[in-house]
Amino acid sequence: MKYTPVIGLEVHAQLKTESKIFCSCSTAFGAPPNTHVCPVCLGMPGVLPVLNKKVAEYAIRMGLATNCRINMESRFARKNYFYPDLPKGYQISQYEMPICEYGYVEIEEKDEKKRIGITRIHMEEDAGKLIHDPDRPVSRVDLNRTGVPLIEIVSEPDMRSPEEAGAYLRKLHSVLRYLGICDGNMEEGSFRCDANVSLMPLGSEVFGTRAEIKNLNSFKNVEKAIRYEIQRQQDILDDEGEVIQETRLWNPDKELTTSMRSKEEAHDYRYFPDPDLLPLVLDEKWIEEIRTDLPELPDEKKQRFTEELQLPSYDAKVLTAERELADYFETCLETYNNPKQVSNWVMGSLLGLLNTEGKSIAQSPVSPPMLAELLKLVDGGTISGKIAKTVLEEMAKSGKKAGQIVEEKGLVQVSDTSAIEALADKVLAASPDEAARYKEGNKKLMGFFVGQVMKESKGRANPKMVNEILRKKL
Ligand code: ADP
Ligand code: MG
Ligand code: ZN
């Protein structure tokens, strides 16, 4: 390709506060339409908004976690436009003086670390929801979401590939969830992303004209849509055409973007400072309190896992992506302190089992002490690693403890020399041809014999002893 892609993302994160940003209505999801509303969020004349302090606290938390400067004074502005889901005719947002600016997060792509700049983080209110009747030409308005708090996180145009954009988005998602300020559910719209994409000739420093892509409701779609958009713009430029500045919609079924509006049709929002809200002036002491309260974040945790626990960087990355998973892992270590072994079992077996059941780690029927108990049985030689896999499956299904399953199903490992010798004799007697070929030098047949003995023992024979005994006998 003769071009370098340039990508900047705008992310909207719904904050997990109990009440809305400028009134005391509940933010709970799924209530009957228009039950979580009041004169303020309905946009009645003569009522006044009052800022929810938690919203500012959460925005500051995110700003600190992403290395932003926290502005001691910020302002709310009105963004004016008409739409049926916006009863006031304007959205309260921040424009000229946002609460956080000049931050960055670090991403890792193909083992290379890179900083992605964060231009700004600002607070704003969400709009309502239109529900279109599939049977009649009627749309209904649900204003429960009107006034639910959001932060918008605007990146610098620092990303150069769909993969980098994906890594950046995952990092933001992970940090928001670590901080406990956003549930990150993309399908329900509590974590939304718009992508700005342009191309410039290789070696150039001058950005090309960008298109903004909306309707990206999964990580996969973000990367797919950007990939599609790069190809679309490349085709235009190769034909000596001109990319126009516009907003485009991603169609996930057809996997393409279509034009929504051009720059000429773009809104002029006529931003101005909201006269109903005072400038927000922060207290240095409060910011320090919030800073002290920050949890260990994914990057720090990952570093600790590689340095102190000696985990490979890949393991550390997977285990720290979600705070719940990292907590699960560390709780296992409290009673079974073998990090690499626990990591292997969590990443290799447990996550796979949970995945097929569509469960998260928090919903795991196998608790950390239960997994620790299972691994101790393997270490103590009570069961083999192979049997342990089936025991784990059974634990996930029944919620029973490892010891109980091993006892009920008679899975205790056979480490009794005479019992294994008897099985070996039986196998060797049944396969005289193979035994002869082994003795003539075909050493590969060892695997066959071991397999047969293991089969005879229903997987319970101690594999190390099986090997030794067979070698002696052959
Ligand atoms: P708008 O309000 O029109 O969306 P912004 O200045 O807020 O414009 O920019 C939105 C996003 O577009 C930012 O994330 C920024 O990094 C990105 N961006 C700006 N210029 C380009 C470009 N030429 N190519 C790709 N992304 C860009
Ligand atoms: Mg934009
Ligand atoms: Zn309200």
mmCIF file of all heavy atoms in Angstrom, residues 6-10 119-120 152-159 194-199 207-212 245 269 271, ligand 1:
data_model
loop_
_atom_site.group_PDB
_atom_site.id
_atom_site.type_symbol
_atom_site.label_atom_id
_atom_site.label_comp_id
_atom_site.label_asym_id
_atom_site.label_seq_id
_atom_site.Cartn_x
_atom_site.Cartn_y
_atom_site.Cartn_z
ATOM 1 N N VAL A 6 -4.367 6.952 9.089
ATOM 2 C CA VAL A 6 -4.357 7.782 10.299
ATOM 3 C C VAL A 6 -5.727 7.622 10.965
ATOM 4 O O VAL A 6 -6.755 7.805 10.305
ATOM 5 C CB VAL A 6 -4.099 9.261 9.952
ATOM 6 C CG1 VAL A 6 -4.255 10.149 11.181
ATOM 7 C CG2 VAL A 6 -2.708 9.419 9.352
ATOM 8 N N ILE A 7 -5.711 7.252 12.227
ATOM 9 C CA ILE A 7 -6.976 6.938 12.909
ATOM 10 C C ILE A 7 -7.061 7.655 14.253
ATOM 11 O O ILE A 7 -6.098 7.659 15.022
ATOM 12 C CB ILE A 7 -7.097 5.408 13.142
ATOM 13 C CG1 ILE A 7 -6.981 4.655 11.813
ATOM 14 C CG2 ILE A 7 -8.427 5.059 13.825
ATOM 15 C CD1 ILE A 7 -6.524 3.228 11.946
ATOM 16 N N GLY A 8 -8.197 8.257 14.510
ATOM 17 C CA GLY A 8 -8.478 8.852 15.826
ATOM 18 C C GLY A 8 -9.848 8.369 16.285
ATOM 19 O O GLY A 8 -10.765 8.255 15.477
ATOM 20 N N LEU A 9 -9.982 8.056 17.571
ATOM 21 C CA LEU A 9 -11.266 7.522 18.050
ATOM 22 C C LEU A 9 -11.937 8.459 19.045
ATOM 23 O O LEU A 9 -11.283 9.109 19.856
ATOM 24 C CB LEU A 9 -11.061 6.161 18.733
ATOM 25 C CG LEU A 9 -10.459 5.015 17.921
ATOM 26 C CD1 LEU A 9 -10.468 3.735 18.749
ATOM 27 C CD2 LEU A 9 -11.212 4.791 16.623
ATOM 28 N N GLU A 10 -13.252 8.515 18.975
ATOM 29 C CA GLU A 10 -14.053 9.212 19.972
ATOM 30 C C GLU A 10 -14.877 8.148 20.695
ATOM 31 O O GLU A 10 -15.640 7.427 20.065
ATOM 32 C CB GLU A 10 -14.984 10.219 19.290
ATOM 33 C CG GLU A 10 -14.229 11.347 18.599
ATOM 34 C CD GLU A 10 -15.101 12.080 17.601
ATOM 35 O OE1 GLU A 10 -15.781 13.034 17.996
ATOM 36 O OE2 GLU A 10 -15.115 11.676 16.428
ATOM 37 N N THR A 119 -6.647 13.592 23.690
ATOM 38 C CA THR A 119 -6.790 15.039 23.547
ATOM 39 C C THR A 119 -7.545 15.612 24.739
ATOM 40 O O THR A 119 -7.122 16.582 25.342
ATOM 41 C CB THR A 119 -7.579 15.363 22.253
ATOM 42 O OG1 THR A 119 -7.084 14.534 21.199
ATOM 43 C CG2 THR A 119 -7.466 16.829 21.895
ATOM 44 N N ARG A 120 -8.684 14.982 25.037
ATOM 45 C CA ARG A 120 -9.550 15.519 26.087
ATOM 46 C C ARG A 120 -10.515 14.470 26.601
ATOM 47 O O ARG A 120 -10.817 13.489 25.922
ATOM 48 C CB ARG A 120 -10.362 16.694 25.542
ATOM 49 C CG ARG A 120 -11.152 16.300 24.278
ATOM 50 C CD ARG A 120 -11.776 17.500 23.615
ATOM 51 N NE ARG A 120 -13.045 17.857 24.240
ATOM 52 C CZ ARG A 120 -13.470 19.113 24.380
ATOM 53 N NH1 ARG A 120 -12.753 20.117 23.947
ATOM 54 N NH2 ARG A 120 -14.633 19.353 24.937
ATOM 55 N N GLU A 152 -16.910 11.622 27.288
ATOM 56 C CA GLU A 152 -16.403 11.386 25.939
ATOM 57 C C GLU A 152 -14.891 11.490 25.992
ATOM 58 O O GLU A 152 -14.335 12.455 26.515
ATOM 59 C CB GLU A 152 -16.963 12.400 24.938
ATOM 60 C CG GLU A 152 -16.395 12.124 23.544
ATOM 61 C CD GLU A 152 -17.009 12.951 22.416
ATOM 62 O OE1 GLU A 152 -18.100 13.520 22.606
ATOM 63 O OE2 GLU A 152 -16.378 13.022 21.347
ATOM 64 N N ILE A 153 -14.230 10.467 25.486
ATOM 65 C CA ILE A 153 -12.767 10.413 25.491
ATOM 66 C C ILE A 153 -12.307 10.548 24.040
ATOM 67 O O ILE A 153 -12.600 9.683 23.210
ATOM 68 C CB ILE A 153 -12.275 9.078 26.081
ATOM 69 C CG1 ILE A 153 -12.901 8.849 27.465
ATOM 70 C CG2 ILE A 153 -10.749 9.031 26.156
ATOM 71 C CD1 ILE A 153 -12.932 7.394 27.894
ATOM 72 N N VAL A 154 -11.645 11.645 23.719
ATOM 73 C CA VAL A 154 -11.229 11.916 22.334
ATOM 74 C C VAL A 154 -9.731 11.666 22.216
ATOM 75 O O VAL A 154 -8.938 12.237 22.960
ATOM 76 C CB VAL A 154 -11.544 13.379 21.937
ATOM 77 C CG1 VAL A 154 -11.149 13.633 20.481
ATOM 78 C CG2 VAL A 154 -13.018 13.688 22.159
ATOM 79 N N SER A 155 -9.364 10.811 21.277
ATOM 80 C CA SER A 155 -7.933 10.500 21.116
ATOM 81 C C SER A 155 -7.293 11.436 20.112
ATOM 82 O O SER A 155 -7.965 12.036 19.271
ATOM 83 C CB SER A 155 -7.741 9.064 20.627
ATOM 84 O OG SER A 155 -7.818 9.020 19.214
ATOM 85 N N GLU A 156 -5.983 11.538 20.164
ATOM 86 C CA GLU A 156 -5.214 12.179 19.105
ATOM 87 C C GLU A 156 -5.230 11.228 17.903
ATOM 88 O O GLU A 156 -5.431 10.021 18.072
ATOM 89 C CB GLU A 156 -3.768 12.377 19.576
ATOM 90 C CG GLU A 156 -3.604 13.468 20.635
ATOM 91 C CD GLU A 156 -3.841 14.849 20.052
ATOM 92 O OE1 GLU A 156 -3.129 15.230 19.105
ATOM 93 O OE2 GLU A 156 -4.762 15.548 20.533
ATOM 94 N N PRO A 157 -5.012 11.757 16.700
ATOM 95 C CA PRO A 157 -4.974 10.855 15.520
ATOM 96 C C PRO A 157 -3.654 10.100 15.479
ATOM 97 O O PRO A 157 -2.874 10.226 14.553
ATOM 98 C CB PRO A 157 -5.111 11.825 14.335
ATOM 99 C CG PRO A 157 -4.674 13.147 14.843
ATOM 100 C CD PRO A 157 -4.881 13.175 16.319
ATOM 101 N N ASP A 158 -3.400 9.265 16.487
ATOM 102 C CA ASP A 158 -2.095 8.623 16.680
ATOM 103 C C ASP A 158 -2.037 7.179 16.212
ATOM 104 O O ASP A 158 -0.973 6.571 16.227
ATOM 105 C CB ASP A 158 -1.725 8.645 18.180
ATOM 106 C CG ASP A 158 -1.267 10.021 18.630
ATOM 107 O OD1 ASP A 158 -1.027 10.880 17.753
ATOM 108 O OD2 ASP A 158 -1.162 10.237 19.857
ATOM 109 N N MET A 159 -3.190 6.610 15.848
ATOM 110 C CA MET A 159 -3.170 5.188 15.487
ATOM 111 C C MET A 159 -2.933 5.026 13.987
ATOM 112 O O MET A 159 -3.370 5.863 13.202
ATOM 113 C CB MET A 159 -4.470 4.526 15.932
ATOM 114 C CG MET A 159 -4.532 4.391 17.454
ATOM 115 S SD MET A 159 -6.193 4.428 18.113
ATOM 116 C CE MET A 159 -6.485 6.182 18.254
ATOM 117 N N ASP A 194 -16.814 6.029 17.879
ATOM 118 C CA ASP A 194 -16.808 6.523 16.493
ATOM 119 C C ASP A 194 -15.358 6.562 16.054
ATOM 120 O O ASP A 194 -14.486 6.923 16.841
ATOM 121 C CB ASP A 194 -17.369 7.949 16.398
ATOM 122 C CG ASP A 194 -18.799 8.041 16.926
ATOM 123 O OD1 ASP A 194 -19.508 7.017 16.891
ATOM 124 O OD2 ASP A 194 -19.184 9.138 17.369
ATOM 125 N N ALA A 195 -15.121 6.188 14.795
ATOM 126 C CA ALA A 195 -13.742 6.143 14.314
ATOM 127 C C ALA A 195 -13.532 7.147 13.189
ATOM 128 O O ALA A 195 -14.342 7.228 12.265
ATOM 129 C CB ALA A 195 -13.409 4.736 13.820
ATOM 130 N N ASN A 196 -12.472 7.931 13.288
ATOM 131 C CA ASN A 196 -12.086 8.858 12.221
ATOM 132 C C ASN A 196 -10.915 8.254 11.474
ATOM 133 O O ASN A 196 -9.922 7.861 12.100
ATOM 134 C CB ASN A 196 -11.676 10.210 12.816
ATOM 135 C CG ASN A 196 -12.853 10.893 13.482
ATOM 136 O OD1 ASN A 196 -13.572 11.646 12.862
ATOM 137 N ND2 ASN A 196 -13.067 10.599 14.768
ATOM 138 N N VAL A 197 -11.054 8.174 10.153
ATOM 139 C CA VAL A 197 -10.041 7.494 9.348
ATOM 140 C C VAL A 197 -9.635 8.354 8.160
ATOM 141 O O VAL A 197 -10.501 8.932 7.483
ATOM 142 C CB VAL A 197 -10.590 6.146 8.812
ATOM 143 C CG1 VAL A 197 -9.542 5.430 7.971
ATOM 144 C CG2 VAL A 197 -11.055 5.252 9.955
ATOM 145 N N SER A 198 -8.347 8.476 7.910
ATOM 146 C CA SER A 198 -7.859 9.135 6.697
ATOM 147 C C SER A 198 -6.585 8.432 6.240
ATOM 148 O O SER A 198 -6.026 7.614 6.971
ATOM 149 C CB SER A 198 -7.577 10.616 6.956
ATOM 150 O OG SER A 198 -6.486 10.757 7.840
ATOM 151 N N LEU A 199 -6.164 8.737 5.035
ATOM 152 C CA LEU A 199 -4.919 8.169 4.502
ATOM 153 C C LEU A 199 -3.986 9.299 4.096
ATOM 154 O O LEU A 199 -4.428 10.358 3.673
ATOM 155 C CB LEU A 199 -5.199 7.315 3.250
ATOM 156 C CG LEU A 199 -6.057 6.066 3.396
ATOM 157 C CD1 LEU A 199 -6.129 5.336 2.053
ATOM 158 C CD2 LEU A 199 -5.499 5.136 4.457
ATOM 159 N N PHE A 207 -1.788 15.136 7.117
ATOM 160 C CA PHE A 207 -2.955 14.258 7.146
ATOM 161 C C PHE A 207 -3.885 14.508 5.963
ATOM 162 O O PHE A 207 -4.032 15.649 5.522
ATOM 163 C CB PHE A 207 -3.753 14.485 8.439
ATOM 164 C CG PHE A 207 -3.024 14.040 9.676
ATOM 165 C CD1 PHE A 207 -3.497 14.402 10.931
ATOM 166 C CD2 PHE A 207 -1.886 13.247 9.592
ATOM 167 C CE1 PHE A 207 -2.826 13.996 12.079
ATOM 168 C CE2 PHE A 207 -1.213 12.832 10.732
ATOM 169 C CZ PHE A 207 -1.687 13.213 11.989
ATOM 170 N N GLY A 208 -4.513 13.426 5.511
ATOM 171 C CA GLY A 208 -5.507 13.553 4.443
ATOM 172 C C GLY A 208 -6.875 13.889 5.018
ATOM 173 O O GLY A 208 -7.033 14.088 6.226
ATOM 174 N N THR A 209 -7.881 13.954 4.137
ATOM 175 C CA THR A 209 -9.247 14.242 4.568
ATOM 176 C C THR A 209 -9.828 12.998 5.235
ATOM 177 O O THR A 209 -9.656 11.888 4.750
ATOM 178 C CB THR A 209 -10.114 14.614 3.354
ATOM 179 O OG1 THR A 209 -9.454 15.681 2.671
ATOM 180 C CG2 THR A 209 -11.493 15.051 3.778
ATOM 181 N N ARG A 210 -10.542 13.206 6.339
ATOM 182 C CA ARG A 210 -11.014 12.052 7.111
ATOM 183 C C ARG A 210 -12.511 11.803 6.921
ATOM 184 O O ARG A 210 -13.275 12.719 6.636
ATOM 185 C CB ARG A 210 -10.743 12.269 8.590
ATOM 186 C CG ARG A 210 -11.650 13.316 9.197
ATOM 187 C CD ARG A 210 -11.309 13.563 10.655
ATOM 188 N NE ARG A 210 -11.542 14.941 11.005
ATOM 189 C CZ ARG A 210 -12.387 15.325 11.966
ATOM 190 N NH1 ARG A 210 -13.075 14.442 12.650
ATOM 191 N NH2 ARG A 210 -12.548 16.583 12.237
ATOM 192 N N ALA A 211 -12.879 10.553 7.135
ATOM 193 C CA ALA A 211 -14.294 10.202 7.240
ATOM 194 C C ALA A 211 -14.511 9.736 8.673
ATOM 195 O O ALA A 211 -13.623 9.136 9.280
ATOM 196 C CB ALA A 211 -14.635 9.084 6.266
ATOM 197 N N GLU A 212 -15.684 10.063 9.236
ATOM 198 C CA GLU A 212 -15.996 9.611 10.590
ATOM 199 C C GLU A 212 -17.001 8.477 10.474
ATOM 200 O O GLU A 212 -18.029 8.619 9.816
ATOM 201 C CB GLU A 212 -16.583 10.775 11.405
ATOM 202 C CG GLU A 212 -16.994 10.358 12.809
ATOM 203 C CD GLU A 212 -17.411 11.543 13.688
ATOM 204 O OE1 GLU A 212 -17.185 12.701 13.282
ATOM 205 O OE2 GLU A 212 -17.981 11.289 14.761
ATOM 206 N N GLN A 245 -14.836 14.867 3.181
ATOM 207 C CA GLN A 245 -15.074 14.808 4.631
ATOM 208 C C GLN A 245 -16.550 14.546 4.862
ATOM 209 O O GLN A 245 -17.409 15.308 4.418
ATOM 210 C CB GLN A 245 -14.651 16.109 5.293
ATOM 211 C CG GLN A 245 -14.664 15.966 6.816
ATOM 212 C CD GLN A 245 -14.092 17.173 7.523
ATOM 213 O OE1 GLN A 245 -13.276 17.910 6.974
ATOM 214 N NE2 GLN A 245 -14.539 17.390 8.750
ATOM 215 N N TYR A 269 -23.532 23.478 15.741
ATOM 216 C CA TYR A 269 -24.173 23.294 17.043
ATOM 217 C C TYR A 269 -24.327 24.563 17.871
ATOM 218 O O TYR A 269 -24.965 24.553 18.904
ATOM 219 C CB TYR A 269 -23.409 22.243 17.853
ATOM 220 C CG TYR A 269 -23.454 20.867 17.240
ATOM 221 C CD1 TYR A 269 -22.311 20.258 16.752
ATOM 222 C CD2 TYR A 269 -24.658 20.175 17.163
ATOM 223 C CE1 TYR A 269 -22.348 18.986 16.197
ATOM 224 C CE2 TYR A 269 -24.706 18.892 16.622
ATOM 225 C CZ TYR A 269 -23.551 18.304 16.139
ATOM 226 O OH TYR A 269 -23.603 17.041 15.600
ATOM 227 N N TYR A 271 -22.464 26.164 19.922
ATOM 228 C CA TYR A 271 -22.081 25.983 21.327
ATOM 229 C C TYR A 271 -22.032 27.327 22.052
ATOM 230 O O TYR A 271 -21.561 28.314 21.497
ATOM 231 C CB TYR A 271 -20.673 25.393 21.406
ATOM 232 C CG TYR A 271 -20.578 23.912 21.162
ATOM 233 C CD1 TYR A 271 -20.219 23.420 19.910
ATOM 234 C CD2 TYR A 271 -20.784 22.995 22.190
ATOM 235 C CE1 TYR A 271 -20.076 22.053 19.678
ATOM 236 C CE2 TYR A 271 -20.642 21.631 21.976
ATOM 237 C CZ TYR A 271 -20.286 21.163 20.722
ATOM 238 O OH TYR A 271 -20.146 19.806 20.501
HETATM 239 P P1 ADP B 1 -15.299 16.509 15.388
HETATM 240 O O1 ADP B 1 -15.835 17.280 16.529
HETATM 241 O O2 ADP B 1 -15.695 17.029 14.047
HETATM 242 O O3 ADP B 1 -15.558 15.065 15.489
HETATM 243 P P2 ADP B 1 -12.610 16.599 16.490
HETATM 244 O O4 ADP B 1 -11.595 17.681 16.299
HETATM 245 O O5 ADP B 1 -13.225 16.467 17.813
HETATM 246 O O6 ADP B 1 -13.706 16.752 15.369
HETATM 247 O O7 ADP B 1 -11.859 15.255 16.104
HETATM 248 C C1 ADP B 1 -12.444 14.044 16.250
HETATM 249 C C2 ADP B 1 -11.433 12.921 16.081
HETATM 250 O O8 ADP B 1 -10.903 12.921 14.776
HETATM 251 C C3 ADP B 1 -10.260 12.957 17.020
HETATM 252 O O9 ADP B 1 -10.170 11.699 17.644
HETATM 253 C C4 ADP B 1 -9.060 13.188 16.120
HETATM 254 O O10 ADP B 1 -7.928 12.493 16.588
HETATM 255 C C5 ADP B 1 -9.517 12.610 14.817
HETATM 256 N N1 ADP B 1 -8.904 13.209 13.632
HETATM 257 C C6 ADP B 1 -8.698 14.495 13.372
HETATM 258 N N2 ADP B 1 -8.129 14.654 12.164
HETATM 259 C C7 ADP B 1 -7.975 13.405 11.640
HETATM 260 C C8 ADP B 1 -7.481 12.899 10.390
HETATM 261 N N3 ADP B 1 -7.023 13.666 9.443
HETATM 262 N N4 ADP B 1 -7.486 11.570 10.218
HETATM 263 C C9 ADP B 1 -7.969 10.745 11.162
HETATM 264 N N5 ADP B 1 -8.463 11.167 12.326
HETATM 265 C C10 ADP B 1 -8.479 12.484 12.571
#
